[in-house]
Each structure stands twice: as structure tokens, then as C-alpha cells.
Amino acid sequence: GDAILAFFENPVDKVTSASTAIRCAVAMQKKAEELDTIYKSQNRFPFAIRIGVTTGYAKVGNIGPVEEYDYTIIGSVVNLANRLQALGNSGDIIFEKETLFFVKDDYTIENMGEKTLKGFTESIEIHKIVK
């Protein structure tokens, strides 16, 4: 497919996964901008990505029948990350209020308001990193 799913676990004694995920997202966007510049100089198609980040619990491990199991991650937090990235434009890093709690002092952030997303009964407070 055309998507990448990454998850970040916390060390035993700290809660760092949200900060690590956002730092990774910022680095990915920086690299995407560099690649876009190179691609444009080669008259190729533009290169751009959108990123959705969520914080929460998910099932991680080998999932599926024994003969075809796959190491993966599932849960509503995974679905939410997908819904969030779909709200963004090229170059955006979109996240919800749980992630905001861990990164609010480290970045300039824009509150995008609350949105009702497919598969979720309650509206979700949405934020994005401002470049």
C-alpha cells in the first residue's frame, strides 16, 4: 500500500512514546521536503506526506491464524491515526489531545477544533504542528 504504520513503546520507567513519535514525524516531514526539492529538479512528480499521530493503547503482536500470522498492531488508536492523517494536507502532522498533552511545550501548535470522525462516537479534538 501507500501507507506506513509505526508505533513507539514507552521504556519501563518513562512515558516518551508521544514525544518520540512527534519528533520522528517532524524529521520525516523535513526529509520529505528535501526529497520534493530533488524530485522537482528532476522533473518528477512531487513528493509529500501527511502524518497522523495518536497516543493510546493497542494490541501488538502476532495476529492471525498460525499459518499466516503477522506481527502487527490493531485497535481504535490505529484507526484514529489513519483518520487524522486523512484530515491533513501535504506536509501536515495531525494529532489529538492525548498527544498534545506530551508535546504542547515543545512545538508551535494550531488547534483545528473538534471533528466527528468515522468509527468514533465522540468528537475528537484535533491539532497540528505549525511550521
Side-chain angles (χ1 to χ4, degrees):
D2 60 354
I4 297 172
L5 170 64
F7 70 95
F8 299 84
E9 292 184 89
N10 292 317
V12 174
D13 59 343
K14 295 180 183 172
V15 178
T16 61
S17 59
S19 298
T20 303
I22 293 291
R23 274 197 317 277
C24 180
V26 169
M28 288 173 65
Q29 289 296 13
K30 182 178 179 191
K31 188 62 173 179
E33 289 174 9
E34 292 171 10
L35 288 172
D36 187 49
T37 301
I38 292 168
Y39 281 25
K40 285 178 181 172
S41 73
Q42 298 170 342
N43 293 320
R44 296 168 69 182
F45 289 104
F47 186 89
I49 59 176
R50 303 181 306 250
I51 300 174
V53 178
T54 58
T55 300
Y57 294 98
K59 274 210 182 280
V60 179
N62 291 318
I63 297 173
V66 175
E67 51 282 340
E68 293 186 32
Y69 67 79
D70 189 20
Y71 189 78
T72 192
I73 179 170
I74 61 172
S76 63
V77 70
V78 177
N79 297 334
L80 179 55
N82 180 52
R83 300 285 188 263
L84 293 177
Q85 68 78 29
L87 293 174
N89 296 312
S90 297
D92 282 346
I93 301 168
I94 309 291
F95 52 97
E96 38 51 76
K97 69 178 179 180
E98 286 77 12
T99 302
L100 174 69
F101 176 81
F102 294 101
V103 301
K104 64 182 179 257
D105 297 328
D106 301 326
Y107 301 93
T108 302
I109 296 167
E110 177 184 332
N111 184 331
M112 298 175 64
E114 292 192 2
K115 307 271 189 220
T116 302
L117 303 175
K118 180 181 175 186
F120 294 87
T121 55
E122 296 182 22
S123 59
I124 309 291
E125 186 178 312
I126 310 295
H127 304 273
K128 77 176 184 175
I129 301 287
V130 177
K131 296 178 189 176

